[in-house]
Amino acid sequence: MSKPLFSDFEAVSSKQWKQQIQFELKGAEYNDTVVWDSPEGIRVKPFYHQDADTIQPISSSQASACKIGQAIFVFDLDKSIARAKDTVTRGAESLHFKIDNPEIDCIKLLTSIADLAVPIHIQFGFLEANAIQKINEFAQNYPQPIAIYNDPIGYFAREGNWHLGSADNFELLKSIEAQLKCSYLSIDAALFQNAGANMVQQIAYSLGQANEYFNRLSCRQPLVFQWAVGSNYFFEIAKLRAFRSLFKLIAQEYNHTHECHIVVTPSKRNKTIYDYNVNMLRTTTECMSAILGGADTIINLPYDALYHKDNEFGDRIARNQLLILKHESYLDKVDNPADGSYYIESLTQQLAEKSLTLFQEIESQGGFLQQLKEGVITRKIQESSAKEQALFDEGKTVLLGTNKHPNKADRMKHDLELFPFVKIKGRKTLITPIIEKRLAEHVEQERLQTEK
């Protein structure tokens, strides 16, 4: 900030503030009462001041450019085309298709919605050169960016096995990447958050994964990062800002000059099936964190996504939350809105420092993929997840309507269209996969069993 605000008033030093706080505490210990430690080992103070906190401002990306995304799982092609057109007329500014069936005609899908002229992201549940090349050819004459989500390491981490043989995954991409003009690499950082990793781990692991791709592929186009954000409002803002600054630092070592594209979705980890309307409050603040933290695209999570199949009402509510934030709360009117906040800048700086240290530690021990194969990454996430779960079980981490002020009359047994708990797949895997799990699962299962 070039010119201090309120310069007409007499300045109050950090020492004076601390003395006043200690007076108000009436003998209670300052550090034990108003200073707390985050799971990342960051000491959070009750106030931040320019004469006590030396910060190096880190600018986030332009909030005014943040787009409202719509996720569409493509099962019935004609219905997906109709849904894509409808959601764009209702405010969606970017379309994100998930295609698991190789028989789906993706070119028919793209051709049918070409007149919408919005950015398109396509995530395949398989790895196939022919499908990638077809989309790349279509992208040459399309007026907006098209991104293909190829993340073989992320698939390996989530499923415990490769799409193809380990070397074949990279050889396939290497054989076609010189021809590709659209983005063709993504990193699923949301997996780490939804599995219970702390923020330092999320940043370091996503950077480690990106570094594996930099080492194995040419990475000619921008990388897409899929992030999940939780309810720790200011920390989540700082997390995205810290990640973007560190990505730039690492990318320049490979002469990669593109900005990364950050796609954010609210976390599933703190969502609940009981008192489900509270999910709307959670996703609203999480989307705000994403905008202020510098997300390029936000795909909101419908309040009923855990237990209902995709439906028009849930999608409309989720999209309208973003429309209100953008057009009625005016969060698209100011670029870099978090810049200059001592608290957020301090959190950003500390998260960046700790994440860089962990990233360097991973690289010194063989890199992310090696640590994943050895089970180190999965074990560290499980340890972090267990600590967070213990805080929830003890009532120190609160989910309103679940472990505090639950509605005993609430019934959900007959409203479940989807199975909302961890699914155990009986199969052989090369590694122990990283498994997403919500905090409320055990409590919810017990309540379902006692429902009459």
Side-chain angles (χ1 to χ4, degrees):
M1 192 178 295
S2 58
K3 182 180 179 182
L5 296 177
F6 313 119
S7 56
D8 292 337
F9 295 90
E10 184 179 349
V12 180
S13 69
S14 60
K15 184 177 179 180
Q16 289 172 298
W17 276 115
K18 188 171 182 180
Q19 287 174 340
Q20 184 63 35
I21 292 171
Q22 288 176 318
F23 173 77
E24 298 291 344
L25 289 174
K26 298 178 180 178
E29 180 59 38
Y30 177 86
N31 287 333
D32 295 338
T33 308
V34 292
V35 178
W36 56 277
D37 294 306
S38 78
E40 295 78 18
I42 293 175
R43 302 222 81 191
V44 181
K45 301 183 297 185
F47 72 97
Y48 290 77
H49 197 285
Q50 62 180 349
D51 69 15
D53 298 285
T54 303
I55 57 172
Q56 297 175 342
I58 297 174
S59 290
S60 51
S61 66
Q62 296 182 347
S64 62
C66 182
K67 294 191 179 298
I68 298 171
Q70 176 67 54
I72 298 175
F73 180 78
V74 182
F75 178 75
D76 183 302
L77 186 58
D78 291 334
K79 287 183 179 178
S80 296
I81 292 169
R83 186 179 173 198
K85 292 180 177 180
D86 180 62
T87 56
V88 170
T89 63
R90 291 170 176 255
E93 300 166 324
S94 177
L95 295 171
H96 297 244
F97 296 105
K98 176 72 163 61
I99 303 175
D100 284 345
N101 183 359
E103 301 300 318
I104 294 290
D105 188 344
C106 54
I107 297 305
K108 179 182 177 181
L109 170 67
L110 296 175
T111 303
S112 300
I113 62 170
D115 59 329
L116 299 178
V118 297
I120 294 174
H121 295 235
I122 299 176
Q123 180 176 355
F124 289 124
F126 51 90
L127 187 60
E128 185 183 278
N130 187 45
I132 298 169
Q133 289 170 319
K134 283 182 178 179
I135 294 172
N136 181 65
E137 185 176 337
F138 175 87
Q140 307 312 305
N141 298 312
Y142 187 70
Q144 292 286 344
I146 292 181
I148 308 170
Y149 290 9
N150 290 303
D151 184 15
I153 298 175
Y155 183 88
F156 182 54
R158 182 185 291 272
E159 299 295 329
N161 291 314
W162 296 98
H163 278 295
L164 313 171
S166 59
D168 295 341
N169 287 266
F170 302 111
E171 290 303 319
L172 183 147
L173 290 173
K174 197 181 292 185
S175 67
I176 62 174
E177 64 177 344
Q179 315 159 28
L180 302 179
K181 303 299 182 185
C182 57
S183 295
Y184 56 91
L185 284 172
S186 69
I187 285 86
D188 184 10
L191 172 63
F192 307 132
Q193 203 281 344
N194 285 319
N198 64 45
M199 293 186 193
V200 167
Q201 290 172 329
Q202 293 170 46
I203 296 170
Y205 295 165
S206 60
L207 291 172
Q209 201 169 326
N211 200 49
E212 295 286 353
Y213 290 133
F214 280 134
N215 280 317
R216 285 172 166 76
L217 302 166
S218 65
C219 300
R220 299 170 184 272
Q221 303 298 333
L223 273 65
V224 177
F225 287 83
Q226 299 166 271
W227 279 93
V229 293
S231 57
N232 196 342
Y233 185 71
F234 292 107
F235 269 75
E236 293 291 356
I237 295 171
K239 177 179 80 175
L240 297 179
R241 299 172 82 247
F243 165 75
R244 191 181 288 276
S245 69
L246 289 179
F247 176 78
K248 288 180 182 178
L249 184 68
I250 292 168
Q252 69 185 14
E253 296 297 318
Y254 295 90
N255 296 317
H256 181 86
T257 57
H258 297 288
E259 284 275 355
C260 62
H261 187 95
I262 296 178
V263 179
V264 178
T265 303
S267 171
K268 296 176 185 175
R269 188 158 171 80
N270 64 346
K271 303 304 180 292
T272 58
I273 61 173
Y274 287 97
D275 216 341
Y276 47 75
N277 287 322
V278 181
N279 289 334
M280 280 188 273
L281 302 179
R282 296 175 183 131
T283 55
T284 297
T285 64
E286 289 161 1
C287 288
M288 288 175 67
S289 291
I291 295 170
L292 300 178
D296 296 293
T297 305
I298 301 176
I299 303 173
N300 196 11
L301 186 72
Y303 74 98
D304 60 347
L306 297 178
Y307 62 92
H308 274 168
K309 295 177 182 177
D310 285 350
N311 61 89
E312 196 275 336
F313 182 77
D315 277 349
R316 180 162 59 88
I317 293 296
R319 192 169 50 249
N320 285 351
Q321 287 174 259
L322 291 172
L323 288 168
I324 289 170
L325 290 176
K326 187 166 188 176
H327 299 299
E328 296 186 29
S329 300
Y330 304 109
L331 292 185
D332 65 333
K333 300 301 182 187
V334 179
D335 287 334
N336 305 322
D339 287 7
S341 163
Y342 290 123
Y343 179 38
I344 296 176
E345 296 283 15
S346 177
L347 292 180
T348 303
Q349 187 172 314
Q350 291 181 78
L351 284 173
E353 290 171 354
K354 288 179 178 291
S355 300
L356 184 58
T357 299
L358 179 55
F359 168 76
Q360 291 169 334
E361 180 184 317
I362 292 169
E363 292 304 306
S364 69
Q365 295 175 2
F368 178 82
L369 189 53
Q370 182 63 32
Q371 293 265 285
L372 187 63
K373 290 177 179 177
E374 292 174 359
V376 176
I377 301 295
T378 304
R379 187 180 73 250
K380 293 292 186 183
I381 292 176
Q382 289 172 342
E383 290 170 357
S384 176
S385 176
K387 290 177 182 177
E388 188 181 19
Q389 187 70 55
L391 291 173
F392 171 80
D393 294 341
E394 294 165 8
K396 295 177 181 177
T397 294
V398 173
L399 292 183
L400 199 64
T402 299
N403 68 340
K404 189 169 186 178
H405 306 308
N407 178 5
K408 298 297 185 181
D410 206 357
R411 298 288 182 269
M412 288 298 298
K413 183 180 289 187
H414 301 295
D415 202 20
L416 301 182
E417 297 176 355
L418 301 173
F419 185 72
F421 308 115
V422 171
K423 301 178 181 70
I424 304 299
K425 299 179 182 178
R427 68 193 191 285
K428 265 190 173 181
T429 58
L430 297 173
I431 63 168
T432 301
I434 298 173
I435 298 173
E436 297 182 355
K437 185 178 181 181
R438 295 181 298 109
L439 290 170
E441 289 200 12
H442 182 66
V443 172
E444 292 171 346
Q445 286 172 317
E446 287 185 339
R447 287 186 64 175
L448 286 171
Q449 290 172 1
T450 59
E451 279 188 21
K452 295 180 181 180

